[in-house]
Structure formats: structure tokens, C-alpha cells
Amino acid sequence: AQPTTRAFLFFFIAVPASPRVVPMGPSPRMVVAAVAAAYLVFTQLRLRLLEYAIKIGRPVGPMWLPLTVTKVLKIWSWMNGVNVRSESGEGLECDRSRRYMMTWHPHGFIVYCPIFLMAEKAIRGEPVGAPWHCTGAPVLFKVPFIGELLQVLSGRPVDKRTLESIMAAGGTVAVQPGGMTEQKATRHDQELALFPANLGFIRMAIKYGTPILMLYIFGENQLYKKVDGMEKFTDMLFKVTGLALPLFTAKAGLPTAAFFPRATDIHARWGAPVEVGEPDENPSDDKVEEVFSRYLKELQRIFYANAQECLPPDVAARGLKIVRMDGKPVAELRAEDKPPVMRSRL
């Protein structure tokens, strides 16, 4: 069994039987052990199915199941006061005959919107015309309930082998460039975009010649509130479990209650595709930097054109903080290049 799954189930299996007289039939301990064993077998079969799906580069199973799950997730979000209030941008009119690599910003505390509100688009293939796979940390696919949920929604682990397999098979993936590092640094009062040192998502897009289609989800960071002073605990949790979970409060001040977000209006903005040129298996660093420069310009254009309309005024005023993990400087969008802002609706 996978280590994460074994750790999760150990407590339940290790619970001692009641000292009272055991009635006729199986004891509670035996029932729990049988259920745990059955779940471990199920998990192994599920992970094998995931490997097969990665190999063929497309979803497997009936479409009605994930679509039903997305409906339930949307209803739950509506009950919590979280809804997509607006969606627009050049990306909604992209050429559906082409294949894309997709990205989204920001990461957020738990990647709520891509799972609860946007998963239906991945399953139906919107707006690119073919189903696509939202990707997440590999460890999540081994966590009970979360792993099943992500897999049903056509999620895939965000490791190089998986991405290469899907892209080589003609599939489409969506990646969050900042990953868990950005997740740990997420705040409700500052929009943030982190980028890895080697810019692997840019290199892979160039390798397959796929334009990059970007989505900015305004409101993702405001679903929860960061609890300051607990960063060391977050780092310790990451080292022990591989899970990056900044401590936060949710609806009514509930601590780290991921399924109870604060009521928030979500605004989705799709950018124009960022072209990467012809396929190049080993792009030069100069080419990677040139494509990345245009990517950043489009990211900043989307943000500054919509921030005042789609974010709380104080958050919009702080702007978008962009950090490269290799320490290289990031060119700010020139004032004359910033699009006219729209009036806040908040």
C-alpha cells in the first residue's frame, strides 16, 4: 500500500477492541480491518487505472460520473456563497483546431476554484475544444477521498513523466506554475505569482509547439484568510507529509475548514494564447526567456485590466507580486503598457 494511505488508516486499524464481552458475530475491530483492507485493494486498482489513463493521454470511464460530481461541487459552492459571477477574455475565442498548454493563477490556499467550479470545463473540453487535465501534487492522489475526487475529475499528477506522457499522446494539461511553493506563501491580502527556476512549463510548451493559454481566477485567494505566525508549522507539515497547507480560517472563522469557504464572487479571465513557435525539443535559454517574457506581459495585462473590478480595493491597490525562484529580476509592466482599468464592482 502507498505510505500516505497506510498512515491515514493506521489509527483505525490499531484501535483496540472493547474490553466488554464481544457479542455474536464479527467484532468492531474485525469490521474496521476488513473495510480498511478492502479500501487498500480499491486504492491499488484505482492507481493502476490512473497509470493507464496517463499512458493513453485521455480520460477514461463514463462522462456522466465526473459531470455529476461537478454538479454536486457547484451546488455546495453555491450553498457557501461562492459563484462564478463573470467570465471573459480572448482565450474563450481561441482556435479549437489547435492544441494548448494551459496555466492558471493564482494557486490559492487549496486550489478551490479549479476543482469546485472549473472542473466541468476540463471534462467538456472548454474552451479549447478537447478534454484537458488539471494537474496537482502527486501526493494528493494517494490521500483518501482527495485522490478519488481528483481522479474522477480527470486530474493528473504534475510530474514530468505524467506531463510528457499526456503531451506526447496528444492530450492537454493545465499546470499551476508556482505549485506548492506558491501555495505555502498564499495570502488573502496579496496577489502572488511564483515561477520555478528552470521554467519547466515554458520548456515543455516549446518542446511540443503548443501555445500557452492562461487563466486568472480573481477571488481564489479571498476564499480564506491566512493565519500569520504559523509558517514554521506549515514547513514542518510539508517535510513530514509532503502536503503544503498554509493555516487559514474559513467561514465563520472555522480553522482550516477547506470545505467551508467564505462567501466570495469569482471572476475568471482568460488571456490571449502566448505563442511559442515551432516545436523545439531542446530550446535555448534565450528562447525560453523570450517566451517567458511575453508570458509575464500577458499575465500582467490580464491582472491590471481587471484587478480593480474583480478584487477588493485594498488588494487590487497592492498589485500583483511576481517572484522568480531563481532570484532573477522581473520586468514590471510599463505604465503606458498597462490597459485602462475598469471600475470596481466590489
Side-chain angles (χ1 to χ4, degrees):
Q2 298 297 330
T4 305
T5 305
R6 289 204 304 266
F8 182 84
L9 294 172
F10 174 78
F11 172 78
F12 298 97
I13 299 175
V15 173
S18 171
R20 297 177 181 178
V21 177
V22 179
M24 296 296 292
S27 68
R29 183 178 181 180
M30 292 176 60
V31 172
V32 171
V35 171
Y39 179 76
L40 290 175
V41 172
F42 166 77
T43 299
Q44 293 301 310
L45 295 176
R46 175 176 65 79
L47 293 176
R48 287 187 181 182
L49 181 62
L50 177 62
E51 287 294 325
Y52 173 72
I54 291 172
K55 182 178 180 180
I56 64 175
R58 64 176 186 271
V60 296
M63 183 176 287
W64 64 264
L65 178 57
L67 289 178
T68 300
V69 173
T70 62
K71 297 297 183 185
V72 173
L73 295 177
K74 283 187 174 182
I75 291 173
W76 180 257
S77 295
W78 172 79
M79 293 174 63
N80 279 283
V82 179
N83 299 281
V84 177
R85 292 299 182 188
S86 67
E87 183 178 11
S88 62
E90 294 86 341
L92 290 176
E93 305 299 327
C94 65
D95 183 353
R96 292 188 165 212
S97 67
R98 304 181 70 186
R99 188 160 61 101
Y100 300 87
M101 170 177 278
M102 303 173 69
T103 62
W104 81 88
H105 300 275
H107 187 289
F109 289 94
I110 65 163
V111 194
Y112 184 94
C113 293
I115 296 174
F116 282 75
L117 298 176
M118 311 298 289
E120 183 176 359
K121 288 186 174 295
I123 296 163
R124 294 189 183 278
E126 300 173 357
V128 295
W132 45 276
H133 302 286
C134 193
T135 59
V139 66
L140 294 176
F141 290 82
K142 301 172 185 177
V143 177
F145 179 73
I146 295 177
E148 285 82 10
L149 177 62
L150 296 178
Q151 192 165 333
V152 165
L153 297 176
S154 291
R156 298 292 183 265
V158 64
D159 56 66
K160 184 176 181 180
R161 181 184 66 84
T162 297
L163 298 181
E164 289 278 6
S165 180
I166 295 174
M167 296 286 284
T172 299
V173 295
V175 300
Q176 207 295 315
M180 287 200 231
T181 303
E182 181 175 321
Q183 182 182 10
K184 291 193 294 181
T186 295
R187 298 190 58 86
H188 62 278
D189 53 4
Q190 175 67 67
E191 296 296 291
L192 174 70
L194 266 61
F195 293 94
N198 67 343
L199 300 176
F201 76 105
I202 297 286
R203 295 180 185 276
M204 187 168 293
I206 295 175
K207 177 178 180 178
Y208 291 97
T210 56
I212 305 174
L213 188 63
M214 185 190 318
L215 170 65
Y216 200 100
I217 306 175
F218 291 91
E220 174 74 44
N221 286 347
Q222 286 69 50
L223 293 168
Y224 310 95
K225 282 190 174 182
K226 174 74 177 292
V227 176
D228 290 319
M230 300 299 291
E231 289 76 15
K232 289 185 178 180
F233 176 81
T234 298
D235 291 338
M236 181 187 69
L237 181 67
F238 179 69
K239 291 178 181 179
V240 173
T241 67
L243 297 173
L245 186 63
L247 295 189
F248 56 83
T249 58
K251 186 183 294 294
L254 293 172
T256 318
F259 287 95
F260 296 92
R262 302 164 63 226
T264 305
D265 288 342
I266 302 299
H267 304 276
R269 296 293 182 266
W270 296 85
V274 177
E275 298 293 339
V276 300
E278 294 297 318
D280 184 349
E281 187 165 350
N282 294 296
S284 66
D285 290 343
D286 288 341
K287 184 172 183 178
V288 171
E289 289 291 337
E290 188 276 328
V291 173
F292 182 58
S293 176
R294 289 189 285 108
Y295 181 93
L296 286 183
K297 188 173 182 179
E298 179 63 9
L299 172 61
Q300 293 177 87
R301 183 192 71 80
I302 296 172
F303 180 84
Y304 288 107
N306 297 280
Q308 292 193 20
E309 178 192 21
C310 302
L311 288 173
D314 59 323
V315 179
R318 293 188 182 95
L320 175 62
K321 182 179 180 181
I322 301 176
V323 178
R324 294 187 61 166
M325 297 180 200
D326 57 8
K328 293 182 179 179
V330 175
E332 291 288 335
L333 198 64
R334 297 180 304 176
E336 56 268 29
D337 291 334
K338 290 184 179 181
V341 298
M342 303 184 70
R343 187 176 61 185
S344 175
R345 63 172 82 196
L346 303 177

